Amino acid sequence: MRYHIGGLPQEKLLDLYKGMLKPRMIEEKMLVLLRQGKISKWFSGIGQEAISVGVTQALNAEEYILPMHRNLGVFTSRGVPLHRLFGQWQGKKSGFTNGRDRSFHFGTQEYRIVGMISHLGPQLGVADGIALADMLRRKKRATAVFTGEGATSEGDFHEALNVASVWNLPVLFCIENNGYGLSTPTNEQYNCKDLVDRAKGYGMESRIIDGNNILEVYSKVNELCNAIRKRPRPILLEFKTFRMRGHEEASGTKYVPEKLMKKWAKKDPIANYEDFLKEKGILDDAKIEAYRAEIAEEINTNLQKAYDEPSIESTPTKELNNVYQNFDYKHYKKNDNTENIRFVDAVSQGLEQSMEKYNELIIMGQDIADYGGVFKITEGFTKTFGKRRVRNTPICESAIVSAAMGLSINGMKSVVEMQFADFVSSGFNPIVNYLAKVYYRWGQNADVVIRMPCGAGVGAGPFHSQTNEAWFTKTPGLKVAYPAFPSDAKGLLATAINDPNPVLFFEHKGLYRSIYEDVPTDYYTLPFGKANVLRNGKDLSVVTYGAGVHWALEILEKHPEINADVIDLRTLQPLDVDAVYESVKKTSKLIILQEDTLFGGIASDIAAMVMENCFEFLDAPIRRVGSLETPVPFAKALEQEYLPKQRFEAALLELYAY
Ligand SMILES: Cc1ncc(C[n+]2csc(CCOP(=O)(O)OP(=O)(O)O)c2C)c(N)n1
């Protein structure tokens, strides 16, 4: 191995050596503990230390770094106290997740580390968001994110690199090419010579770096960090290295040819560097012994500290109270001055007033800038707020949701517009796995609102008509709003943006231009979890939301003999079950109407909850009405048959007569 010292002082050369020695020695200890059955799982980074350590040392302490599962050296180089790391791996309180997540699945703002989620790829888009916040604030900072070569096959990799390149984000994308993704060798993973070949396709610079040569890693990354701090842009780095142990310890390395192992063993990043430093007279056996003794002492004391800590205890209440960040709802009253506007205008106004309130609120979505979005909600916004804050995105829902996560990590709010709610499936993974779980896992909030133009009745067929709120209401960590009226849409959107938790905000396209209301002109908020009782009656309770509210009102209009309570839920998570129970206790009959197909929807859960909590008050079986269990059909006649309006009328009359 050839080492070039360049201008590095002796102190730095030794720092890099010690920097690699520490994670190696911790790992060696972990392997012993694993054999003793004292820890459950271990992903080894032995042989790859030069990458973690070199990259982390090249970054400044305030710059974010996003490691993966073999990057122990990132944590040690950032000075994370070892007892906290050990505590994390043992699921103890002193760890970073209160026993809620394992191994390296955590982040810490204190050390500017953002840990991975198991799905690997979303991490790359999160780095985009972090870098975007730095760039918007004109901070001259770099962000580094790691990935294995296996995860470069995920769509997230492509999306994140493309966005970073289009937006010139100062991100170092660090591929650790260690030969295998679990048991899959590189020739079964990708079909180009080097992974950096792909950079050209993204219009991005790239470098291949010997990942086992600490001086090469440190010097090159240092130089590149300086370059992208000065002139923001992403760079793709491919560190050539090798995975010297199994994917995780239990899985072994039988499938790896002996020859390869031998070849790479000779390239061990620590042994080689040690020899080099010795040759240069910078290091000797006595010094090595002293370093080793010092690190061993640190490991042992900290390990004991972690062992001495009692096992974590909690209660269901405590766990439930840690799924969402606490949000102190602040009520801004409606002003008296109103304007008769459409649903679509109310959303637009609400968004605009929040953009004025928060100058670090960013909107991202396809065609939302000068074009104004396909529903024209953001028309004219670029004139007022500029294209830095009203951002057109490439077609890459996953990377944009991940980037929104990154903005939140770096302290900015964002609203992501899905062009149609249907397309959220392409960004589903980061929503349900990253945004929804991040607060519970390590106390980081996801201050993101995802706007969801949804719903059928507009002749748009199976892929532009779905109302997919049930995909999200069942995922703890997300909030879901679904207003039916312009004034609710405006006030609830303002609250969604104030709320530091992730909110899915459903806007029915069929209501956009058909529903008008006198809407207060100024900024105001409405609380989540408060249903609206639109009509008071004694005969039965109708519970619904979204377009269902308008169908119910229309049909009740046709049947003046029925005196019904009509409850518009307005938000589905949190859900105002008390309003439902109160109404059922009064009327003793309940019908729930939803536009979504019936099975597994919110109506089923409300029915179950009423059954469990108000059974003695019921005088009739609860009725649920929803769409047919088919995709949403295109032709008008089919769509009308699909939607529940007619079936609702029949069920309503039956229930009334019961
Ligand atoms: C989306 C997803 N698919 C599959 C897995 C299972 N898995 C975990 S790590 C891994 C291999 C990753 O290989 P690579 O990215 O090269 O990283 P390495 O483990 O080699 O460091 C696989 C298949 C996963 N965690 N997430």
Side-chain angles (χ1 to χ4, degrees):
M1 207 170 289
R2 290 166 67 86
Y3 289 101
H4 297 286
I5 292 181
L8 293 178
Q10 193 161 316
E11 199 184 325
K12 186 76 208 169
L13 297 174
L14 288 173
D15 246 16
L16 290 167
Y17 173 73
K18 280 192 283 183
M20 288 195 292
L21 195 57
K22 193 187 274 190
R24 173 69 60 93
M25 288 179 66
I26 294 173
E27 281 221 39
E28 284 166 354
K29 184 79 183 180
M30 290 304 129
L31 297 184
V32 174
L33 297 182
L34 197 69
R35 281 194 290 276
Q36 294 171 348
K38 289 186 179 158
I39 54 169
S40 62
K41 213 170 175 115
W42 189 257
F43 294 90
S44 175
I46 285 183
Q48 299 179 218
E49 294 93 341
I51 305 167
S52 305
V53 173
V55 172
T56 313
Q57 289 211 20
L59 288 176
N60 297 329
E62 73 278 5
E63 290 174 324
Y64 282 96
I65 187 160
L66 294 85
M68 297 302 287
H69 47 293
R70 300 191 199 284
N71 298 121
L72 173 57
V74 167
F75 297 84
T76 51
S77 300
R78 279 271 156 112
V80 177
L82 295 191
H83 78 274
R84 295 203 64 191
L85 277 182
F86 300 146
Q88 165 66 21
W89 301 334
Q90 293 171 18
K92 299 267 173 83
K93 182 96 188 126
S94 64
F96 293 87
T97 61
N98 284 303
R100 293 175 188 146
D101 206 342
R102 65 182 201 187
S103 60
F104 293 106
H105 295 186
F106 68 93
T108 145
Q109 285 284 5
E110 194 181 347
Y111 299 95
R112 286 285 199 270
I113 293 174
V114 178
M116 62 188 289
I117 67 164
S118 288
H119 298 69
L120 316 167
Q123 189 76 330
L124 298 150
V126 174
D128 283 357
I130 290 174
L132 174 61
D134 283 339
M135 204 176 71
L136 291 172
R137 290 171 176 151
R138 300 185 202 283
K139 287 199 169 142
K140 299 199 171 307
R141 285 184 182 166
T143 296
V145 58
F146 289 90
T147 176
E149 86 290 344
T152 65
S153 301
E154 291 188 59
D156 284 293
F157 173 81
H158 166 78
E159 289 190 11
L161 267 68
N162 189 49
V163 171
S165 188
V166 172
W167 289 356
N168 281 320
L169 301 174
V171 182
L172 291 180
F173 291 99
C174 304
I175 306 172
E176 284 185 82
N177 192 339
N178 64 5
Y180 285 83
L182 216 154
S183 75
T184 306
T186 52
N187 67 325
E188 292 177 30
Q189 192 69 252
Y190 57 87
N191 196 20
C192 46
K193 184 168 163 286
D194 297 302
L195 281 165
V196 286
D197 293 347
R198 294 179 178 177
K200 202 170 166 43
Y202 301 116
M204 191 185 284
E205 288 169 45
S206 65
R207 301 281 190 288
I208 292 179
I209 297 176
D210 179 349
N212 284 28
N213 183 329
I214 183 69
L215 293 189
E216 187 175 333
V217 174
Y218 175 75
S219 308
K220 285 214 172 140
V221 174
N222 197 33
E223 181 192 314
L224 295 174
C225 280
N226 283 329
I228 69 172
R229 282 179 201 126
K230 272 201 204 94
R231 183 165 68 81
R233 61 193 193 275
I235 300 180
L236 181 61
L237 305 178
E238 182 174 356
F239 296 96
K240 303 281 191 189
T241 185
F242 201 70
R243 202 191 67 204
M244 297 305 293
R245 303 195 64 88
H247 170 64
E248 45 91 26
E249 284 307 314
S251 61
T253 53
K254 259 195 190 143
Y255 46 85
V256 182
E258 194 61 33
K259 232 171 64 190
L260 263 181
M261 280 290 191
K262 283 196 175 136
K263 176 182 148 196
W264 281 93
K266 287 195 194 120
K267 296 194 190 186
D268 183 86
I270 301 180
N272 279 286
Y273 188 53
E274 196 174 280
D275 288 347
F276 168 75
L277 292 179
K278 277 175 157 179
E279 256 171 47
K280 291 278 168 200
I282 297 170
L283 194 63
D284 56 31
D285 287 341
K287 252 190 192 159
I288 295 172
E289 266 324 297
Y291 288 156
R292 283 189 162 270
E294 188 190 322
I295 296 171
E297 163 71 17
E298 187 187 349
I299 293 175
N300 291 332
T301 343
N302 280 280
L303 202 51
Q304 198 51 51
K305 205 166 163 183
Y307 278 138
D308 289 346
E309 208 186 320
S311 294
I312 207 154
E313 277 176 24
S314 190
T315 60
T317 311
K318 188 170 169 213
E319 293 309 292
L320 286 169
N321 284 339
N322 275 276
V323 176
Y324 297 92
Q325 176 161 330
N326 189 37
F327 168 49
D328 252 340
Y329 169 73
K330 192 162 169 214
H331 192 64
Y332 290 80
K333 277 201 231 143
K334 291 177 174 174
N335 62 313
D336 294 334
N337 192 22
T338 61
E339 214 183 341
N340 193 260
I341 55 173
R342 301 168 301 176
F343 196 108
V344 74
D345 306 317
V347 173
S348 180
Q349 215 176 75
L351 196 54
E352 189 175 358
Q353 290 174 356
S354 286
M355 285 291 276
E356 282 160 3
K357 181 174 161 72
Y358 296 105
N359 59 17
E360 288 208 327
L361 170 63
I362 307 301
I363 318 180
M364 302 186 284
Q366 288 151 31
D367 310 291
I368 65 156
D370 291 343
Y371 186 70
V374 292
F375 297 105
K376 302 293 170 199
I377 302 259
T378 50
E379 191 156 47
F381 275 38
T382 51
K383 278 215 183 75
T384 320
F385 306 110
K387 282 191 180 179
R388 286 164 70 85
R389 292 182 61 202
V390 184
R391 305 186 72 85
N392 266 351
T393 72
I395 305 172
C396 49
E397 287 75 6
S398 191
I400 294 303
V401 172
S402 304
M405 180 71 239
L407 283 173
S408 182
I409 288 170
N410 210 348
M412 283 193 174
K413 285 181 175 291
S414 62
V415 172
V416 175
E417 174 175 306
M418 286 292 150
Q419 199 154 66
F420 287 82
D422 308 70
F423 302 141
V424 78
S425 48
S426 296
F428 191 68
N429 184 31
I431 296 175
V432 300
N433 286 314
Y434 218 129
L435 275 56
K437 297 174 178 38
V438 70
Y439 185 74
Y440 182 70
R441 292 167 57 240
W442 55 279
Q444 169 63 52
N445 71 309
D447 199 345
V448 181
V449 176
I450 300 177
R451 292 191 33 246
M452 303 277 280
C454 66
V458 289
F463 304 114
H464 290 77
S465 306
Q466 294 170 86
T467 180
N468 42 20
E469 66 278 10
W471 297 357
F472 304 99
T473 47
K474 91 143 274 100
T475 303
L478 301 176
K479 294 191 179 181
V480 178
Y482 205 141
F485 293 97
S487 62
D488 284 350
K490 183 177 165 183
L492 289 170
L493 182 59
T495 302
I497 293 168
N498 290 343
D499 194 319
N501 294 288
V503 180
L504 278 290
F505 196 85
F506 286 82
E507 304 161 11
H508 199 289
K509 309 189 294 283
L511 307 183
Y512 267 165
R513 290 177 165 74
S514 64
I515 302 296
Y516 284 73
E517 203 186 4
D518 290 335
V519 177
T521 49
D522 292 351
Y523 179 88
Y524 62 91
T525 57
L526 289 171
F528 274 32
K530 286 260 174 292
N532 200 9
V533 183
L534 297 172
R535 269 179 174 231
N536 272 296
K538 56 177 182 15
D539 297 337
L540 51 84
S541 306
V542 178
V543 171
T544 184
Y545 57 98
V549 173
H550 300 281
W551 299 332
L553 291 174
E554 189 188 319
I555 284 165
L556 283 166
E557 214 43 51
K558 263 175 73 182
H559 299 282
E561 72 281 12
I562 305 177
N563 269 311
D565 260 10
V566 176
I567 296 180
D568 171 8
L569 292 169
R570 300 200 287 192
T571 65
L572 305 180
Q573 176 54 259
L575 184 66
D576 191 353
V577 284
D578 291 338
V580 177
Y581 296 165
E582 203 182 306
S583 173
V584 169
K585 284 176 184 172
K586 180 179 76 177
T587 65
S588 305
K589 289 181 181 177
L590 172 63
I591 180 164
I592 312 155
L593 169 63
Q594 71 181 29
E595 176 176 334
D596 193 10
T597 53
L598 203 51
F599 190 83
I602 203 90
S604 303
D605 272 294
I606 293 173
M609 286 189 284
V610 169
M611 237 281 296
E612 283 165 2
N613 293 285
C614 309
F615 183 73
E616 308 81 48
F617 295 89
L618 287 171
D619 283 344
I622 299 167
R623 297 299 302 258
R624 294 172 307 144
V625 185
S627 286
L628 283 187
E629 305 286 339
T630 68
V632 189
F634 160 64
K636 215 177 183 80
L638 297 186
E639 194 183 27
Q640 288 314 311
E641 226 165 62
Y642 162 86
L643 287 170
K645 199 165 152 187
Q646 262 76 50
R647 285 186 298 283
F648 171 72
E649 185 170 9
L652 179 80
L653 294 175
E654 276 171 28
L655 185 64
Y656 178 62
Y658 188 91

